[in-house]
């Protein structure tokens, strides 16, 4: 067989191999399987309690209460130097907080006032209540102890720090599918005094 025939056959074979390889590599890759298929989006909000000396245990308990009772928003402690959405400080006045729902990247303030503690109110209930404001819940005064957002109107004997089903549903609704990303915060400071 002459050399030119071998070259033609070799060139044709190389072109065929190249065309086949290109077609195979151009085929779409299979879609990756999702380990959270069907799961709702969870909004993570960071809190900074570095200026809330004396309230650490109450804040941890309030955060744990919210995290245990709502599914689509989670509160986590901000690492040092990381900007938090919820800034928590200890003050000498009455507890107060910015009404949310706070959005990731935005910021609200919670003031945990010692005046309420000196009046006999429970620190954990105060912390959980004020965090509820950050998550978009207004006061429901007057109200029973079973309503976390009834705040001081439930009296000093009330130590309930767990949001009821209605309060849980309102927070779930505010953060449904990451919706808090679109809902502006009210921006008002709500002062929780009797």
């Amino acid at each position: 067989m002459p050399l030119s025939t071998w070259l033609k056959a070799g060139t044709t074979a190389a072109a065929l191999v190249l065309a086949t390889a290109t077609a195979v590599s151009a085929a779409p890759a299979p879609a990756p399987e999702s380990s959270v298929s069907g799961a709702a989006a969870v909004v993570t909000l960071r809190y900074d309690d570095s200026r809330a000396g004396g309230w650490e245990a109450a804040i941890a308990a309030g955060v744990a209460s919210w995290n245990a009772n709502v599914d689509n928003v989670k509160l986590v402690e901000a690492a040092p130097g990381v900007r938090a959405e919820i800034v928590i400080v200890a003050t000498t006045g009455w507890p107060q907080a910015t009404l949310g729902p706070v959005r990731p990247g935005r910021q609200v303030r919670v003031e945990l006032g010692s005046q309420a503690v000196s009046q006999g109110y429970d620190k954990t209930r105060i912390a959980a209540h004020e965090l509820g404001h950050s998550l978009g819940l207004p006061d429901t005064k007057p109200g029973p102890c079973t309503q976390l957002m009834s705040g001081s109107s439930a009296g000093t004997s009330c130590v309930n720090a767990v949001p009821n089903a209605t309060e849980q549903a309102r927070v779930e609704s505010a953060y449904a599918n990451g919706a808090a990303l679109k809902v502006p915060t009210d921006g008002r400071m709500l002062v929780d005094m009797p």
Side-chain angles (χ1 to χ4, degrees):
M1 190 178 311
L3 181 60
S4 63
T5 304
W6 280 104
L7 287 175
K8 277 185 183 177
T11 303
T12 303
L16 182 60
V17 168
L18 184 59
T20 304
T22 303
V24 168
S25 65
E33 289 187 39
S34 173
S35 61
V36 293
S37 79
V42 176
V43 176
T44 300
L45 300 172
R46 296 172 302 253
Y47 67 91
D48 175 4
D49 64 353
S50 62
R51 295 184 293 157
W55 286 85
E56 294 85 358
I59 293 166
V63 164
S65 178
W66 279 108
N67 285 343
N69 288 289
V70 293
D71 295 322
N72 59 4
V73 62
K74 291 298 171 204
L75 304 173
V76 297
E77 189 168 4
V82 174
R83 187 175 191 273
E85 285 83 11
I86 303 171
V87 176
I88 307 171
V89 297
T91 69
T92 57
W94 281 95
Q96 56 186 311
T98 310
L99 181 59
V102 64
R103 298 182 275 172
R106 300 292 177 100
Q107 198 169 67
V108 294
R109 182 177 172 95
V110 169
E111 296 182 8
L112 300 176
S114 62
Q115 192 167 353
V117 176
S118 68
Q119 296 283 324
Y121 292 97
D122 181 70
K123 281 179 126 177
T124 300
R125 179 171 168 85
I126 293 168
H129 174 91
E130 299 307 324
L131 288 167
H133 287 320
S134 297
L135 297 174
L137 298 178
D139 288 314
T140 54
K141 295 179 181 181
C145 184
T146 55
Q147 290 178 345
L148 176 60
M149 300 314 293
S150 67
S152 61
S153 71
T156 57
S157 63
C158 180
V159 296
N160 172 42
V162 178
N164 67 20
T166 301
E167 293 163 332
Q168 293 170 26
R170 287 188 70 188
V171 171
E172 292 282 358
S173 176
Y175 289 92
N177 298 315
L181 300 172
K182 301 174 188 122
V183 178
T185 61
D186 183 288
R188 286 183 296 152
M189 285 296 280
L190 301 179
V191 179
D192 291 303
M193 57 189 291

